[in-house]
Amino acid sequence: MRPLNVGLLGFGTVGKGVFDVLARNGGEIARRAGRPIRITWIGTRTLDRAREATRGAKGVHLTSDTGSVAVHPDVDIVVELIGGIEPARELVMSAIGAGKHVVTANKALLALHGNEIFAAAHARGVMVAFEGAVAGGIPIIKALREGLTANRIEWIAGIINGTSNFILSTMRDTGASFDAVLAEAQKRGYAEADPTFDVEGIDAAHKLTIMAAIAFGVPMRFAAAYHEGITKLTREDIRYAEELGYRIKLLGIARRKSAGYELRVHPTLVPTKRLIANVEGAMNAVLVKGDAVGATLYYGAGAGAEPTASAVIADLVDVTRMHTSDPEHRVPHLAFQPDQISDLPVLPIGEVETSYYLRMRVDDRPGVLADITRILADREISIDAMIQKEPSEGEDQTDIILLTHRSIEKRVVDAIRAIEALPTVRGAIIRIRLEDLA
Amino acid sequence: MRPLNVGLLGFGTVGKGVFDVLARNGGEIARRAGRPIRITWIGTRTLDRAREATRGAKGVHLTSDTGSVAVHPDVDIVVELIGGIEPARELVMSAIGAGKHVVTANKALLALHGNEIFAAAHARGVMVAFEGAVAGGIPIIKALREGLTANRIEWIAGIINGTSNFILSTMRDTGASFDAVLAEAQKRGYAEADPTFDVEGIDAAHKLTIMAAIAFGVPMRFAAAYHEGITKLTREDIRYAEELGYRIKLLGIARRKSAGYELRVHPTLVPTKRLIANVEGAMNAVLVKGDAVGATLYYGAGAGAEPTASAVIADLVDVTRMHTSDPEHRVPHLAFQPDQISDLPVLPIGEVETSYYLRMRVDDRPGVLADITRILADREISIDAMIQKEPSEGEDQTDIILLTHRSIEKRVVDAIRAIEALPTVRGAIIRIRLEDLA
């Protein structure tokens, strides 16, 4: 059969990974796909790099005019690996307009403009595949969209940002501060010069938005996603969490409830005995709870040249198989048929229901704990565990750490305000959310 | 669109699970599949049970004549959940002959007769889907066959028998013996009255055979699979393993090498820090190493009514989408195109390369260790770690535990024979294989 011709937009780390893996495993991939998949065009600003990396490869044309690759008659599938919003958005839309199928690993683009992109693809009868956009090489999009179709998916909780998981793992292992670990990670190239997207949970919120859409059959609603980063986490809280049998992970959590769904990224205490609490370094893992299957977990490298290339090429094989088929035979982009998308809203963070870790500095005086527990009880917040430390020698203040049962966030926020107003409580209360994930 | 009509063969635990999940989640499943999936015929020997469970359901016909359901004109897809070889094999072949697509969760049938079944399905242009046959609700077949198509898969290591993992976890937690834990598991219904298939690794070997076929593009070769069970594992070995930083798991391991592939099920020491070593109770997990993606892990319930139903219904949705499509648009049954299956042989167990845990009882005398290490060195087996215990008070014998580096099994077997022949070594040497799984 005729080979499938791929036009590659962008030749950074992942672009080169796709080229290398196709070159190395092309034979084995063709044994699966039923025909060869070959890169015919590469559109990139870094022509020299691409020329060097593709030296000796036959039939590969290079150009800096990415726009021409997106619509080129010798290209069947356009692979967008430029990243960011523009010009990626414009190129993807123009490829779709030209009737090309598109494979992309661009999570920001899909989280922000996915609704528009998938509507255009549906109207034009082409496929847009995006396994590489979430959790690198882990086939989590396929699992959610095809592997768990029997289930009402109840919730997803994922470690979906390798940089922040690396920082948190290292803080725990070494006892170093966030700033120190970040500086080290930047020096070694594990974290970007501007780490905002990673450490503030924005990158994780992009990926969570995409997973929630295909899990619940809802549109992409990144603007409504809540995100809170790891920059304010202290060694003390990591240590207290350990003492209570928990690890702190930056989780992306989407949970379906009757009035809407939760969509939130934040540091989270997770019981140490859960498998996901033991995911270390830059690795990713996604825990999915379905009503029939129960809890399932998917683990692997969440980034990197070849792991992401693995996902991109899996999409290429899928598209290779299906590109001449009737659209009704294809898996819907967002798992649910386009006319079956629900308008279930995202719940505001105040309506979220979860458990809490609260750490407060208090005067070591009789009655303090009674005041605090009264404030919690008045708001129907019940206490699951507590540590009260003896004051250090010569000090008259101490730390109290409380774990609450599940409660509505706005009640907890209200309780924190009331506790902070007590004359015996010093400074602000540290609040970290906690999920049992059973 | 017209609903898809399913004929169900067998109405045991999983059959009822499929019926229940389709009844409960039918609306959400149709939103994904694009059309309703409904059970029109149930063929079962337990008619009363089926009548009771399906009471009030519309359009469901019951019969004890399973053969008629397999070829019924009102059935588009036949779901075989009878288990065992006959009559399941005959019914599946007759359904294929009648042009029906087949979904089955029958691992024994596929491991023993898969080559014949898939050849018949290919010739007739129908699909045979089998996600439920391996690791229950975990979409591992989809991950291997579609999610990792970019990769040369190097090896697979899986906890794919829940009963034996439950027994091993409980032995470790409670310190009880194999016999005691098995008896308790049987009393609670976690283990069968005849537990041979589970505890001797036969069930795991069935599943491993299927995974190896789709990972490496080879035929089903169950007859060549090596299996060794957990019945001889002692509390002592579990404790010594812990002391050395390992857990003992019954693993199914398939590894590709140049001369052939390893296909083996046996108790295995795994470093405690690996995620898979922390899979407890009846849960399953499969670790897959691809050359591009690296290590990925898939975890979930490996058995049970609704987890297995989750996999069976995912197959039904796949078949629903593809049943009117051209066969070239479909994913090949065994991941590779039928004319691209390799004849790479299974390596005999003596040619397998792995590490070893060796425990021996020796006289507490000078020179014993020198004799043992000399025998190993002569066979180029190098030692990675060792424990020698002090003899108990009043005893003149002691335990030596050795961990070896990777070696060829036949050399180790030869070394064991030589060591056992030493006059200072008492009784047989305990040999358990060890895998680093990095």
Side-chain angles (χ1 to χ4, degrees), chain A residues 83-263:
Chain A
I85 304 301
E86 294 296 355
R89 193 195 62 83
E90 202 184 317
L91 288 166
V92 165
M93 293 302 281
S94 104
I96 292 170
K100 309 296 184 193
H101 303 286
V102 173
V103 173
T104 177
N106 192 329
K107 56 248 176 182
L109 178 63
L110 294 180
L112 271 67
H113 298 281
N115 299 325
E116 163 198 359
I117 288 168
F118 293 118
H122 180 63
R124 194 66 173 76
V126 298
M127 290 175 271
V128 175
F130 52 94
E131 184 66 79
V134 180
I138 308 171
I140 183 64
I141 299 298
K142 190 170 276 286
L144 282 170
R145 191 166 55 181
E146 304 169 41
L148 302 178
T149 43
N151 293 267
R152 190 174 190 281
I153 293 175
E154 296 173 355
W155 52 261
I156 298 170
I159 295 173
I160 43 181
N161 181 270
T163 304
S164 52
N165 199 57
F166 173 82
I167 293 173
L168 291 178
S169 301
T170 310
M171 284 176 72
R172 203 197 71 233
D173 287 351
T174 63
S177 71
F178 172 81
D179 290 331
V181 176
L182 173 62
E184 183 66 27
Q186 284 172 319
K187 219 168 76 184
R188 294 185 183 206
Y190 299 160
E192 312 257 353
D194 177 358
T196 312
F197 266 43
D198 291 323
V199 300
E200 293 295 357
I202 300 167
D203 173 76
H206 288 149
K207 295 164 181 167
L208 181 68
T209 298
I210 296 170
M211 289 199 290
I214 62 175
F216 304 149
V218 294
M220 305 278 175
R221 290 209 188 89
F222 173 70
Y226 174 85
H227 61 88
E228 181 182 313
I230 59 170
T231 57
K232 289 179 195 125
L233 281 181
T234 66
R235 293 171 276 194
E236 288 69 35
D237 293 312
I238 290 173
R239 215 173 44 228
Y240 282 134
E242 288 283 324
E243 199 172 319
L244 288 155
Y246 293 83
R247 297 228 169 119
I248 301 179
K249 295 289 181 189
L250 183 69
L251 290 188
I253 299 168
R255 186 187 304 266
R256 177 148 64 170
K257 304 176 78 174
S258 54
Y261 65 98
E262 301 177 354
L263 192 64

Side-chain angles (χ1 to χ4, degrees), chain A residues 1 21 24-25 27-35 131 136-139 142-153 214-218 256 273 275-276 278-279 283 285 287 291-301 306-311 313-315 317-318 320-326 328-332 335-337 340-342, chain B residues 1 21 24-25 27-35 131 136-139 142-153 214-218 256 273 275-276 278-279 283 285 287 291-301 306-311 313-315 317-318 320-326 328-332 335-337 340-342:
Chain A
M1 256 187 286
V21 173
R24 187 173 73 232
N25 291 349
E28 186 133 345
I29 292 166
R31 283 175 60 206
R32 294 184 172 111
R35 64 176 83 192
E131 184 66 79
I138 308 171
K142 190 170 276 286
L144 282 170
R145 191 166 55 181
E146 304 169 41
L148 302 178
T149 43
N151 293 267
R152 190 174 190 281
I153 293 175
I214 62 175
F216 304 149
V218 294
R256 177 148 64 170
K273 66 185 169 198
L275 228 43
I276 198 169
N278 295 281
V279 170
M283 300 303 281
L287 189 54
D291 69 338
V293 75
T296 56
L297 180 124
Y298 308 84
Y299 164 90
E306 295 213 350
T308 309
S310 171
I313 296 171
D315 278 346
V317 173
D318 276 358
T320 296
R321 286 205 183 98
M322 301 304 296
H323 77 294
T324 57
S325 75
D326 196 298
E328 75 160 280
H329 293 133
R330 299 176 189 159
V331 180
F336 291 76
Q337 301 291 329
Q340 293 293 323
I341 301 300
S342 145
Chain B
M1 256 186 285
V21 173
R24 187 174 74 230
N25 291 349
E28 186 133 345
I29 293 166
R31 284 177 58 207
R32 294 186 173 110
R35 63 176 82 192
E131 185 66 79
I138 307 172
K142 190 169 276 286
L144 282 171
R145 192 166 54 180
E146 303 170 41
L148 302 178
T149 43
N151 293 268
R152 187 172 194 281
I153 294 175
I214 61 174
F216 304 150
V218 293
R256 176 148 65 170
K273 65 184 170 197
L275 227 44
I276 198 168
N278 295 280
V279 170
M283 300 303 281
L287 189 54
D291 70 338
V293 75
T296 56
L297 180 122
Y298 309 84
Y299 163 90
E306 295 214 350
T308 309
S310 171
I313 295 171
D315 278 346
V317 173
D318 276 358
T320 297
R321 285 205 184 99
M322 301 303 299
H323 76 296
T324 57
S325 74
D326 195 298
E328 74 160 282
H329 293 133
R330 298 175 189 159
V331 180
F336 291 74
Q337 301 292 330
Q340 294 293 323
I341 301 300
S342 144

